[in-house]
Amino acid sequence: RREEERRAATARQAADIARATHVAACRAAEEARGAAAVAEAARRDGEGSLLAASLEREACEVGCRQILRGEPPSPIADTGDVDDTAPAPSAQPVAKQIAELQSIARKMNMEESLVLMLPALAGKATSERSTLEKAAGSMLEEAFVKHSASLQAQLESSSTAAEARKADAEA
């Protein structure tokens, strides 16, 4: 009889330990799922930020070439499966480019009088610009080039950090 009670007590104790282990494992799995969800959200946010920085950098570079320097849109190679009547991506309407550059310039806290010069600069060939317009164009171009370089550095450092995180996760 005593032996049966001891065995029953041992069995209950083993069952309690197994139940506690199972509960702890379930909690750990739930915490891991939560951490994975947080990490995935951070990755998506990071990718979104990188994409936005990349697009902003491109807008600065294209704007400098086409609006401030008066260069024509960059040609796109014919791949044979593209509608040749469609405008090139970098040949977006000037009004849209101006609005985009003005938005970026305001984000950079540029002087509003310079921001408002962008439409006038876009409407004139560089040879037809007044001294004031040439000076404004030069200041805008310098600011956009610096901003573009800053964004490029941010993209490069973010890319390096992402590669390091990926390597750590795989290790």
Side-chain angles (χ1 to χ4, degrees), residues 33-89:
R33 280 191 291 276
V38 168
E40 177 61 19
R43 183 192 63 77
R44 279 194 312 270
D45 289 347
E47 286 178 358
S49 296
L50 289 177
L51 177 60
S54 179
L55 291 172
E56 189 171 313
R57 182 189 57 80
E58 184 179 341
C60 288
E61 290 175 358
V62 170
C64 282
R65 280 195 313 272
Q66 294 178 5
I67 294 174
L68 300 176
R69 295 183 206 137
E71 295 176 14
S74 304
I76 294 184
D78 183 12
T79 60
D81 62 347
V82 176
D83 179 6
D84 292 336
T85 61

Side-chain angles (χ1 to χ4, degrees), residues 3 5 19 35 38 46 48 53 56 85 96-97 125 130 133 155 157 164:
E3 185 61 27
E5 288 176 4
R19 197 171 333 173
V38 168
E56 189 171 313
T85 61
K96 184 176 177 183
Q97 282 184 308
S130 69
E133 290 167 332
L155 289 168
S157 70

